[in-house]
Amino acid sequence: MFHAPNVFQRAKLPPATRESEPRRQDRTTAPDATAGVVVAERPAQNAPTKKRDAYFDNAKYLAIVLVAVAHAWAPVMDGSRTARAVWMVTYTFHMPAFIIISGYFSRSFDLSPTKVKRLITGVAVPYIVFETAYSLFRRYANDSPDAAISLLEPWYLTWFLAALFVWRLTTPIWQNLRHPLAVSLVIAALASLAPSVGDDLDLPRVLQFLPFFVLGLRLKPEHFRLVQRREVRLLALPLFAGAAVFAYWAAPRMQLGWFLRDSSAQDMNAPWWSGAMMTLALFGCATLLTIGFLSWVPRRHMWFTVLGAGTICGYLLHGFLVKGSDYFGLFDRNEWLVSPTGLVLVSVVAAAAVTLLCTPPVRRVLRCVTEPDMNWAFRRDSAKL
């Protein structure tokens, strides 16, 4: 007898998962792989500088705030249908928006020495440093002496750097295919129904989020100008309202693993073919919500525009605060945080914390690991940027 896929079964949440700062005359900006961030690079002498786009810096800052707030909700949303629904809506598009911007700023990537150096210094080095740091933090702050330190198994939020490294390496392939988005969707669908893919480099997420990166690669500046039109902003209001209503209905029924994209359908006890269905459905929903989100991003310079250059710092550091709060029993000792007032407080604190972590002073302190020079490690022809 034919049985409909049980994709709306009840499940508990898995663990939780410019204009720019004043520039020195000896530095310029160049697209970097890290979360769509444009970071400073040392150019050749007398090289011209490029002006940052306030729109994209605004988008990156607002997206990282949503990421941090959603992570902070995870320990306190259990039992709140409204919080669960808001989490679902947010998780549908916040990382896709981040990844689409990353893909957009990766359009010129090739395997030239200069681009390879930026990939290693801007993605691989931060991944190694923070994967090790998070593993040690989990081992000692959570009193887990057996916690492994493995660069092949990204933990918590470091999966994004591993995925970004893989996506950028494969950029020349996607730029040469006739129908790259369709191919990436097929790959994502297959990954959603293949439990044997394995967890090395968090491959399920790498493959299931791949279409958003490829979509970013295919976008052009005129696409973003279309998104910023007034009629798109107006249509975004009923779009988000409808998404919120649907999420409220689905909150007690739908497995949240679908939004994390780190498991196959079989891992969630759903029919194997439901993975392909949910992959396509969530891609469509995420794309629409991302368009709605981007339509409301301010195009002019705002007080937070400068923070868009430091989103990689906010992303990599806020996890210590979220996990640390959990390890030290903050949420267990304060059960009132589950209340509506508590959820609002958690959201405000998370937004304020990640804002501080994106500020220029923090970025300068972390530049040695997020934007290291490392000319000593490369041949002279690749060290001259």
Side-chain angles (χ1 to χ4, degrees):
M1 181 178 295
F2 176 79
H3 293 280
N6 187 14
V7 297
F8 292 102
Q9 53 186 301
R10 182 184 301 270
K12 291 185 177 180
L13 174 67
T17 55
R18 135 185 116 165
E19 309 304 339
S20 63
E21 60 180 293
R23 270 191 291 272
R24 302 174 184 173
Q25 293 182 353
D26 64 336
R27 301 174 75 89
T28 188
T29 58
D32 176 68
T34 309
V37 175
V38 180
V39 301
E41 295 284 358
R42 285 188 173 88
Q45 189 175 6
N46 299 324
T49 58
K50 297 180 181 179
K51 185 178 180 180
R52 296 183 65 96
D53 191 322
Y55 174 75
F56 288 107
D57 278 334
N58 292 338
K60 288 179 288 184
Y61 166 74
L62 295 174
I64 198 60
V65 168
L66 291 176
V67 170
V69 170
H71 280 160
W73 283 337
V76 295
M77 59 183 266
D78 192 25
S80 172
R81 184 173 180 176
T82 300
R84 188 181 176 96
V86 174
W87 184 96
M88 290 170 60
V89 173
T90 304
Y91 255 76
T92 298
F93 77 93
H94 71 357
M95 282 310 298
F98 231 74
I99 295 168
I100 288 172
I101 295 174
S102 299
Y104 179 74
F105 280 99
S106 299
R107 294 169 299 157
S108 64
F109 181 83
D110 52 33
L111 296 178
S112 65
T114 296
K115 301 294 178 61
V116 170
K117 179 194 172 183
R118 288 176 183 162
L119 178 61
I120 293 174
T121 58
V123 180
V125 170
Y127 171 73
I128 294 171
V129 171
F130 280 90
E131 175 62 22
T132 303
Y134 269 106
S135 298
L136 293 174
F137 183 70
R138 177 174 55 165
R139 174 180 292 184
Y140 296 109
N142 196 35
D143 193 21
S144 303
D146 297 328
I149 300 177
S150 173
L151 297 181
L152 293 178
E153 298 180 4
W155 183 73
Y156 197 33
L157 47 71
T158 56
W159 71 268
F160 179 70
L161 293 179
L164 204 51
F165 188 86
V166 174
W167 294 334
R168 278 208 99 172
L169 275 182
T170 61
T171 292
I173 298 177
W174 304 113
Q175 296 287 48
N176 282 281
L177 289 179
R178 189 181 296 273
H179 303 292
L181 185 56
V183 173
S184 67
L185 282 169
V186 170
I187 292 174
L190 292 175
S192 70
L193 50 87
S196 60
V197 167
D199 294 327
D200 288 350
L201 296 182
D202 213 343
L203 199 53
R205 272 178 168 159
V206 174
L207 299 179
Q208 292 188 49
F209 276 114
L210 174 63
F212 299 105
F213 184 81
V214 175
L215 175 59
L217 288 175
R218 307 306 297 168
L219 294 179
K220 296 178 173 60
E222 52 264 34
H223 294 129
F224 289 94
R225 289 194 290 268
L226 286 174
V227 165
Q228 298 165 28
R229 296 175 63 175
R230 181 174 181 271
E231 50 266 40
V232 178
R233 292 198 298 273
L234 294 177
L235 288 173
L237 299 177
L239 173 66
F240 273 96
V245 171
F246 177 80
Y248 188 80
W249 171 83
R253 302 171 174 87
M254 192 171 186
Q255 292 208 69
L256 301 184
W258 293 114
F259 300 92
L260 300 176
R261 295 176 174 86
D262 60 352
S263 304
S264 67
Q266 296 93 318
D267 292 332
M268 293 181 283
N269 298 316
W272 65 268
W273 55 271
S274 64
M277 181 185 72
M278 292 300 294
T279 295
L280 296 176
L282 283 174
F283 177 79
C285 293
T287 301
L288 289 175
L289 290 177
T290 298
I291 291 173
F293 165 72
L294 292 175
S295 72
W296 279 96
V297 171
R299 288 170 287 183
R300 64 186 184 280
H301 189 278
M302 308 291 290
W303 66 266
F304 53 79
T305 303
V306 66
L307 304 177
T311 50
I312 185 60
C313 300
Y315 179 81
L316 291 173
L317 292 176
H318 84 272
F320 290 108
L321 301 180
V322 175
K323 284 297 185 182
S325 300
D326 189 22
Y327 291 160
F328 297 120
L330 175 64
F331 302 110
D332 293 333
R333 294 196 304 267
N334 299 274
E335 296 182 0
W336 62 272
L337 290 174
V338 181
S339 67
T341 301
L343 288 169
V344 171
L345 179 61
V346 168
S347 301
V348 172
V349 171
V354 77
T355 297
L356 291 175
L357 295 175
C358 291
T359 54
V362 176
R363 184 187 175 206
R364 286 194 290 269
V365 170
L366 287 185
R367 181 167 285 155
C368 59
V369 293
T370 60
E371 305 169 35
D373 189 286
M374 291 186 63
N375 281 339
W376 55 268
F378 296 88
R379 294 171 54 182
R380 183 173 298 180
D381 55 352
S382 65
K384 292 180 179 179
L385 299 180

